[in-house]
Structures are given as C-alpha cells and as structure tokens.
Amino acid sequence: MSKLPVGVSRMMSQRARRMHHYLFHQTRNMWLVWDEDTKDEIRFLGWEPPRPARELDGEGGFKTVLDNDSGEDFLYMHRQMIASVNQKLADLADPNYRQIEGWSVLPRPGDSDFPVPPAWDTGNPGFDSFLNAVKSDDYFSQNFEVWEARFTDLGQLANMTLGEMGARLEFSIHNMMHMRWCREMEVRPDVDPETPNQIDPAWDNEAYDWLGDTYSSHVNPVFWKIHGWIDDRIDDWMAAHGLTGNVPWKGTWVGKMPGHPMPDSLHAMLASTAGHDKAAGQAVHDHMSEMEQVAKVILKSGKFCHFYDDVQVE
C-alpha cells in the first residue's frame, strides 16, 4: 500500500481540514436528531445543512433519506476533496504518487496489498461483535460483493437518481469500507472529560488517522482508495444515464466557508496557512474560529454520528 506523500498527510491532518470533514458529516447526519436549541445555535453559525442525510426510524434507530439529493452533497464534497489533494500532488510532483486512484475492484479477502486489520477487544461486546462481522470473509461475500455488483451495474444505476445513488452508497458500502479496513489504535472520544468543550488539539497529530472517525479518516491512505472507488461511481452513473460533460449537480453543499457559502473549490477555501495576504489570513482565522464554535455546540448536544452506526437503507 502506497503511503501518502508527507506533504499530503500533513495537509490532511491540519485542524481546519479535520474540523471541516467532521462538521460536514455531523451536521448532515444529525440535523434531524438534534433538539431545536442545538439546531438554532448551529443555524446561527451558518452550518445548517440544506439536505439532511439521515432521520430517525421511529424505533430508536436511523434510516437514510433517499429523496432529497443529500446523496449528491456527499458525492460532491468528496470529489472536491479529491481535487484538492490532486492539486497538492501536482505541486509535489512525487513520481510515486501522481494522483488519487481508487480501487478498480475491492480488495478480496487475503489481499496482500490491502489486508484487513484484525478486530480487537474494544471493551464493548456489541462493538466487538460488529467489528468481527464486518471484517469477516463471510460478510465480504454476503455484503460487499453484492454492493459492489449493484453499484457498478449500469442497468441498476439507470434506475436511480444521482442523489439516491449517493445516499445508498454512503450508508452501505462506504461506511462499512471505513470499518472493514480500520485498525486498532487509541480512538478519540466523542466528548473528552478532560476537554469537554473542545476537540483536544492532541488529536491533530498526524499519527491519528483512524478510519472509523470523521475527524481523522481522511488522513489515512486507505481513505483515498475508498473515495476514489466511490468517485468512479459518479462516472458510471453518468454513463448509465447517457450523459457526458459536466455532472448535473443539484446538491453541492460542502459546508460553510469564509465568504463562499457554496464554493466550487474546497482547495481554495481550506488553505490553512495565512500565506497570501492579510485579508486571506483573517478569513482563515475567522473560519477556524467559527468551526470551533460549531464543534462546541455539537459536543454540548451529546449526540453524534459514526461510520459504524446502524442505518437502514431501504
């Protein structure tokens, strides 16, 4: 498995990048769960998602929202992340890692390049059972192979809107790929008793790249194999619908950026060093401060989303 060039892993581990990925997923997935006071605070800070991605199923669980184009936001935002990294790779000109390329097919059990890290004792029997299942050969044949066949079948994609495909991808194969290839490590708590009002900056260390956490997954090189594969499904969907040229996006929300509520380039908006001029530096500072405030509201709510949540996809 090729490691990310140091310049890319450092860029992805910056607090602004971590915070943005975390907030994008938390706000979309938890909007219909939070109470009105929490939503009002987040709304005031400009992070209300226009298309929530999950809702309660009436039985204490979650189900996917398939008909509001939230799946497009998921696909679009991660395509922008890939474009951002590809720009950085072009700047670095590393001959061993020229651009993001997803898996052409999912690594099968026993794959030597992308072995499945073993499950571990988490101290939570239910979570232990889940990890053992999702990492098993049987789970791969009964679930991953079925999902892979479905989302690469142009005939089936022709019967889905882009938003529906994105939503189905996100809460089935995507989330489970994150968990199948995650490894044992010290995991960031949702709320740290030592720092209950913030995400401790200790978790910004480049070594923290756990695939199971939205705050860290994009620092892990496997993330880019997963999302390269996900991104290729957009091209399959276009082919299935006989479309060429630009993707006919309806959902392009990536989160609130300074001065650009719906930016075309995540790379430009997430430059995390105050380099070019004083105004740019101030914009980055203000944006980071705002994201910290949103994160504080979320921490206070005590309600969070995870890749390993049980979400129904009808």
Side-chain angles (χ1 to χ4, degrees), residues 2-6 8-15 17-18 21 81 85 178 183 203-211 213-224:
S2 298
K3 292 184 177 181
L4 291 173
V6 172
V8 173
S9 60
R10 286 179 179 169
M11 181 175 75
M12 289 296 105
S13 65
Q14 292 162 352
R15 190 167 178 85
R17 297 268 180 172
R18 290 181 182 274
H21 191 247
M81 289 183 73
V85 172
H178 273 260
R183 71 182 189 279
W203 297 105
D204 299 340
N205 188 293
E206 194 175 334
Y208 184 55
D209 66 352
W210 193 51
L211 273 175
D213 183 359
T214 58
Y215 194 75
S216 55
S217 59
H218 55 288
V219 186
N220 192 302
V222 174
F223 176 95
W224 302 99

Side-chain angles (χ1 to χ4, degrees), residues 24 28 49 58 85 90 92 112 114 126 154 163 218 231 238 279 286 291:
F24 175 80
R28 291 174 63 253
V85 172
L92 294 172
S112 59
F114 295 96
L154 300 193
H218 55 288
D231 194 70
M238 292 282 285
D286 291 348
M291 288 198 295

Side-chain angles (χ1 to χ4, degrees), residues 168-214:
R168 290 185 180 279
L169 278 166
E170 179 175 4
F171 294 109
S172 61
I173 191 170
H174 161 262
N175 284 5
M176 293 305 101
M177 283 195 285
H178 273 260
M179 299 312 301
R180 181 172 176 84
W181 276 279
C182 73
R183 71 182 189 279
E184 180 180 6
M185 66 186 313
E186 184 181 3
V187 175
R188 181 187 65 82
D190 285 327
V191 180
D192 187 339
E194 299 297 319
T195 56
N197 293 322
Q198 68 164 338
I199 295 176
D200 194 320
W203 297 105
D204 299 340
N205 188 293
E206 194 175 334
Y208 184 55
D209 66 352
W210 193 51
L211 273 175
D213 183 359
T214 58

Side-chain angles (χ1 to χ4, degrees), residues 111-297:
D111 186 281
S112 59
D113 292 327
F114 295 96
V116 177
W120 65 96
D121 183 0
T122 68
N124 180 326
F127 193 45
D128 290 350
S129 178
F130 163 78
L131 283 175
N132 278 291
V134 79
K135 291 172 175 291
S136 70
D137 293 357
D138 285 346
Y139 191 96
F140 188 89
S141 62
Q142 295 168 16
N143 294 278
F144 280 105
E145 287 186 15
V146 174
W147 289 325
E148 182 179 31
R150 181 179 193 187
F151 292 120
T152 57
D153 183 335
L154 300 193
Q156 295 197 54
L157 297 184
N159 293 318
M160 299 183 202
T161 66
L162 184 59
E164 180 186 350
M165 182 190 75
R168 290 185 180 279
L169 278 166
E170 179 175 4
F171 294 109
S172 61
I173 191 170
H174 161 262
N175 284 5
M176 293 305 101
M177 283 195 285
H178 273 260
M179 299 312 301
R180 181 172 176 84
W181 276 279
C182 73
R183 71 182 189 279
E184 180 180 6
M185 66 186 313
E186 184 181 3
V187 175
R188 181 187 65 82
D190 285 327
V191 180
D192 187 339
E194 299 297 319
T195 56
N197 293 322
Q198 68 164 338
I199 295 176
D200 194 320
W203 297 105
D204 299 340
N205 188 293
E206 194 175 334
Y208 184 55
D209 66 352
W210 193 51
L211 273 175
D213 183 359
T214 58
Y215 194 75
S216 55
S217 59
H218 55 288
V219 186
N220 192 302
V222 174
F223 176 95
W224 302 99
K225 306 306 289 187
I226 292 171
H227 279 279
W229 186 89
I230 293 287
D231 194 70
D232 287 344
R233 307 289 69 80
I234 301 173
D235 299 333
D236 284 351
W237 182 88
M238 292 282 285
H241 289 261
L243 299 173
T244 58
N246 295 330
V247 178
W249 297 107
K250 290 178 284 184
T252 57
W253 188 77
V254 301
K256 184 170 180 286
M257 298 294 162
H260 297 267
M262 296 179 70
D264 291 328
S265 172
L266 191 64
H267 174 69
M269 295 306 105
L270 275 183
S272 64
T273 56
H276 301 90
D277 55 51
K278 186 175 181 180
Q282 186 62 46
V284 170
H285 177 273
D286 291 348
H287 177 47
M288 191 64 224
S289 176
E290 190 171 71
M291 288 198 295
E292 295 274 10
Q293 292 179 64
V294 178
K296 183 175 181 177
V297 174

Side-chain angles (χ1 to χ4, degrees), residues 9-160:
S9 60
R10 286 179 179 169
M11 181 175 75
M12 289 296 105
S13 65
Q14 292 162 352
R15 190 167 178 85
R17 297 268 180 172
R18 290 181 182 274
M19 194 68 75
H20 179 268
H21 191 247
Y22 171 81
L23 295 182
F24 175 80
H25 281 284
Q26 293 296 330
T27 54
R28 291 174 63 253
N29 289 347
M30 298 305 293
W31 189 256
L32 298 178
V33 179
W34 288 324
D35 61 38
E36 289 303 315
D37 287 345
T38 298
K39 289 192 283 189
D40 283 345
E41 290 186 68
I42 293 173
R43 187 179 288 119
F44 176 78
L45 293 165
W47 272 81
E48 177 179 2
R51 288 165 289 276
R54 308 190 313 187
E55 60 186 346
L56 295 172
D57 64 4
E59 299 179 359
F62 303 101
K63 64 179 181 180
T64 309
V65 179
L66 297 173
D67 59 359
N68 69 346
D69 297 315
S70 65
E72 289 198 20
D73 295 322
F74 166 76
L75 295 171
Y76 181 84
M77 196 283 284
H78 289 91
R79 176 162 279 200
Q80 299 311 302
M81 289 183 73
I82 290 171
S84 172
V85 172
N86 280 340
Q87 180 60 59
K88 183 66 172 180
L89 289 169
D91 294 343
L92 294 172
D94 185 336
N96 298 313
Y97 207 129
R98 296 186 179 278
Q99 65 180 16
I100 296 300
E101 293 182 356
W103 289 315
S104 56
V105 296
L106 301 189
R108 268 41 192 175
D111 186 281
S112 59
D113 292 327
F114 295 96
V116 177
W120 65 96
D121 183 0
T122 68
N124 180 326
F127 193 45
D128 290 350
S129 178
F130 163 78
L131 283 175
N132 278 291
V134 79
K135 291 172 175 291
S136 70
D137 293 357
D138 285 346
Y139 191 96
F140 188 89
S141 62
Q142 295 168 16
N143 294 278
F144 280 105
E145 287 186 15
V146 174
W147 289 325
E148 182 179 31
R150 181 179 193 187
F151 292 120
T152 57
D153 183 335
L154 300 193
Q156 295 197 54
L157 297 184
N159 293 318
M160 299 183 202

